[in-house]
Amino acid sequence: MGRVATVAGVLIGIATAFIAAGYENIMNYIQLLFSVFNAPLFATFIIGMLWRRTTPWGGFWGLVAGTFAALLAHFAFVGLDIGGAHVWDPWVTIESTQSQNFYGAIVAFVADAVVTVAVSLATQPKPERELAGLVAGVHNPDAPPPGPKPVWWESPKILGFGALGITLVLSLIFL
């Protein structure tokens, strides 16, 4: 089975190289992949971590909707040709490929978020005991008790906000 997986991985890599060759540079291709796959995944992850009402079906259909929305946005920006046959011209003109990818990621994130919330509201949520330790605000009864409060220089909150404050001050000084 390992050899079959290796051969399949190599063949997929070769096919991907031919797809990537159609782009101006590898960064445009990677950013397109991120807008199609990572933006919806990020939306699902954030909503699932912060909202206890999120359901598995909501997350699944949100990912599907976000991925298809990003693909639709991409083809709305560049047009669509299939096998040499012209299907449609670009619907929206955005000159920069990076801007196209950025707007595609926004479309994917929003579509994922809307569908995840809508489907989650229409389906049965998991019981809170199954969410313990996974979702913000749901206490895990098996978690060890919190240790003593750290001294100020070991506090992540103070160090994080301190770094943000220093960055803000330096940004204003060197503006």
Side-chain angles (χ1 to χ4, degrees):
M1 187 65 177
R3 290 181 184 176
V4 171
T6 301
V7 170
V10 168
L11 293 176
I12 290 171
I14 292 169
T16 303
F18 284 112
I19 294 170
Y23 289 86
E24 279 181 35
N25 59 52
I26 193 71
M27 193 63 192
N28 290 342
Y29 178 61
I30 296 294
Q31 290 299 324
L32 173 62
L33 291 178
F34 281 177
S35 73
V36 171
F37 297 110
N38 284 11
L41 188 63
F42 181 64
T44 300
F45 179 76
I46 292 298
I47 294 171
M49 288 282 296
L50 299 178
W51 189 40
R52 66 183 73 184
R53 182 70 176 80
T54 306
T55 64
W57 283 113
F60 172 76
W61 288 112
L63 283 171
V64 170
T67 301
F68 281 116
L71 289 171
L72 182 64
H74 172 68
F75 292 118
F77 300 146
V78 300
L80 181 62
D81 295 316
I82 298 176
H86 182 69
V87 179
W88 70 65
D89 290 324
W91 304 337
V92 180
T93 302
I94 299 176
E95 295 299 324
S96 166
T97 306
Q98 290 293 8
S99 294
Q100 292 172 359
N101 293 333
F102 183 72
Y103 287 117
I106 292 171
V107 168
F109 188 95
V110 170
D112 183 300
V114 168
V115 171
T116 297
V117 169
V119 173
S120 291
L121 289 173
T123 54
Q124 185 68 29
K126 286 191 166 278
E128 284 208 20
R129 69 180 180 283
E130 292 183 26
L131 303 176
L134 298 173
V135 178
V138 180
H139 176 68
N140 184 359
D142 299 330
K149 187 173 180 174
V151 290
W152 71 270
W153 62 83
E154 293 179 350
S155 169
K157 285 183 183 176
I158 291 176
L159 291 176
F161 283 114
L164 287 174
I166 291 169
T167 302
L168 177 66
V169 168
L170 290 174
S171 295
L172 292 175
I173 291 171
F174 295 106
L175 195 70

